[in-house]
């Protein structure tokens, strides 16, 4: 459970680091955006690395950790896309998330 919580929190920071500048930051020089994003990403790494170590130490495979992280990323980004960027979630996005959840099932079922 700690693995999923840390991955979710790290993905919140990752999403902000990668996409914050698309809304309101487009006028800033690129080097400033990169520097700010690196600072935010440092926090993300400080959460993601322990999450992966903890999960691996508790029997998760590398593939399970990665696919779980990807599904969390899609869910976190979906919230960011709607609340910050003001973009709607369409059926294609929902379909992609459903496919990723299916990928999680392939890696976890029978373990």
């Amino acid at each position: 459970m700690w693995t999923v919580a840390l991955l979710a929190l790290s993905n919140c920071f990752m999403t902000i680091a990668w996409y914050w500048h698309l809304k309101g930051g487009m006028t800033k020089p690129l080097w400033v955006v990169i520097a700010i994003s690196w600072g935010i990403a440092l926090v993300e790494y400080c959460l993601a690395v322990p999450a992966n170590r903890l999960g691996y130490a508790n029997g998760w495979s590398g593939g399970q950790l990665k696919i779980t992280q990807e599904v969390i990323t899609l869910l976190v980004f979906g919230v960011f896309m709607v609340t910050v960027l003001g973009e709607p979630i369409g059926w294609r996005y929902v379909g992609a998330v459903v496919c990723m959840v299916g990928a999680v099932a392939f890696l976890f079922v029978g373990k």
Side-chain angles (χ1 to χ4, degrees):
M1 189 61 174
W2 278 106
T3 298
V4 173
L6 288 171
L7 286 173
L9 193 55
S10 76
N11 270 280
C12 291
F13 282 96
M14 180 194 72
T15 299
I16 293 167
W18 284 13
Y19 301 104
W20 69 270
H21 59 93
L22 299 180
K23 193 74 165 192
M26 293 296 286
T27 59
K28 292 179 177 29
L30 185 56
W31 72 269
V32 171
V33 171
I34 291 170
I36 292 169
S37 292
W38 273 38
I40 298 168
L42 176 63
V43 178
E44 184 262 330
Y45 271 64
C46 290
L47 296 166
V49 171
N52 286 307
R53 287 180 64 124
L54 180 64
Y56 198 76
N58 284 299
W60 290 39
S61 71
Q64 289 171 325
L65 288 165
K66 182 59 180 171
I67 200 66
T68 300
Q69 182 268 326
E70 293 299 336
V71 170
I72 291 169
T73 297
L74 285 174
L75 296 173
V76 168
F77 184 76
V79 172
F80 184 88
M81 185 173 73
V82 171
T83 60
V84 176
L85 299 179
E87 298 177 8
I89 290 181
W91 70 269
R92 286 186 171 101
Y93 192 88
V94 173
V97 171
V98 169
C99 288
M100 291 296 286
V101 170
V104 170
F106 276 112
L107 285 174
F108 279 93
V109 170
K111 178 164 169 39

